[in-house]
Amino acid sequence: MPNTHSETDIWGLPDPVSQAAFYDSVPTKRLVAFIFDMIAIVILSALIVPLTAFTGIFFFPFLVTVMSFAYRVVTLANGSATLGMRLMGIEFRTAQGERFDLKYALIHTTLFTIWGIFFFAQVVSIVLMLTTARKQGLSDMLLGTAAINKPSFY
């Protein structure tokens, strides 16, 4: 019997055509969430500097990177969204439509960190968010995940 399912039928994510509201303004909300999260991460990192006997000043960019990784993994594993994403009303979902668990949080954050190191990969990710139906970045495309507007029934 021939397969009568379209690509959108096999996803657990909302359909970008019939349920487009789940993806409305997601790239803009992700940008605002990113800015909010970076401010929070820099503040948290600055608060840690005295605990390092102020030697953290000398490796502050590394401290911010480590803090960013920990912040993102913890917040994504415990709510499928960073604090900035929660403020903006968006969250990540897997290809099965489930919220992130620790495994997805670790993998997504690792990829996010790698893309942050390579400017070209970050540009590709941004272009994908602005042009794909599900507004997915590079990490999302690789993992089959997407950021969506948080459903109102949660």
Side-chain angles (χ1 to χ4, degrees):
M1 183 168 228
N3 182 0
T4 59
H5 296 287
S6 70
E7 179 188 309
T8 56
D9 291 336
I10 63 172
W11 282 70
L13 292 168
D15 179 72
V17 175
S18 64
Q19 299 174 305
F22 279 104
Y23 304 101
D24 286 345
S25 302
V26 166
T28 303
K29 290 178 180 183
R30 284 179 82 162
L31 174 63
V32 173
F34 174 80
I35 293 167
F36 175 88
D37 290 331
M38 282 310 301
I39 291 168
I41 290 163
V42 169
I43 290 170
L44 289 170
S45 299
L47 292 173
I48 290 174
V49 169
L51 301 175
T52 67
F54 295 94
T55 60
I57 293 170
F58 300 109
F59 55 92
F60 195 71
F62 177 75
L63 184 61
V64 170
T65 302
V66 170
M67 181 58 70
S68 174
F69 190 89
Y71 170 91
R72 291 177 193 288
V73 169
V74 169
T75 56
L76 289 176
N78 291 302
S80 208
T82 64
L83 298 179
M85 293 172 71
R86 292 173 198 181
L87 181 69
M88 297 308 300
I90 58 176
E91 65 184 16
F92 281 117
R93 292 296 179 101
T94 68
Q96 295 75 33
E98 299 168 342
R99 293 172 151 208
F100 275 19
D101 58 11
L102 180 59
K103 177 184 87 170
Y104 272 96
L106 274 169
I107 295 169
H108 200 279
T109 301
T110 299
L111 291 172
F112 173 84
T113 304
I114 291 168
W115 306 154
I117 295 169
F118 299 102
F119 178 75
F120 180 73
Q122 194 68 285
V123 170
V124 169
S125 192
I126 292 167
V127 168
L128 288 171
M129 282 184 225
L130 296 173
T131 60
T132 59
R134 288 189 170 89
K135 312 300 183 201
Q136 296 166 291
L138 189 54
S139 301
D140 301 317
M141 296 292 284
L142 291 173
L143 296 174
T145 60
I148 63 169
N149 288 308
K150 190 171 178 173
S152 60
F153 53 86
Y154 279 103

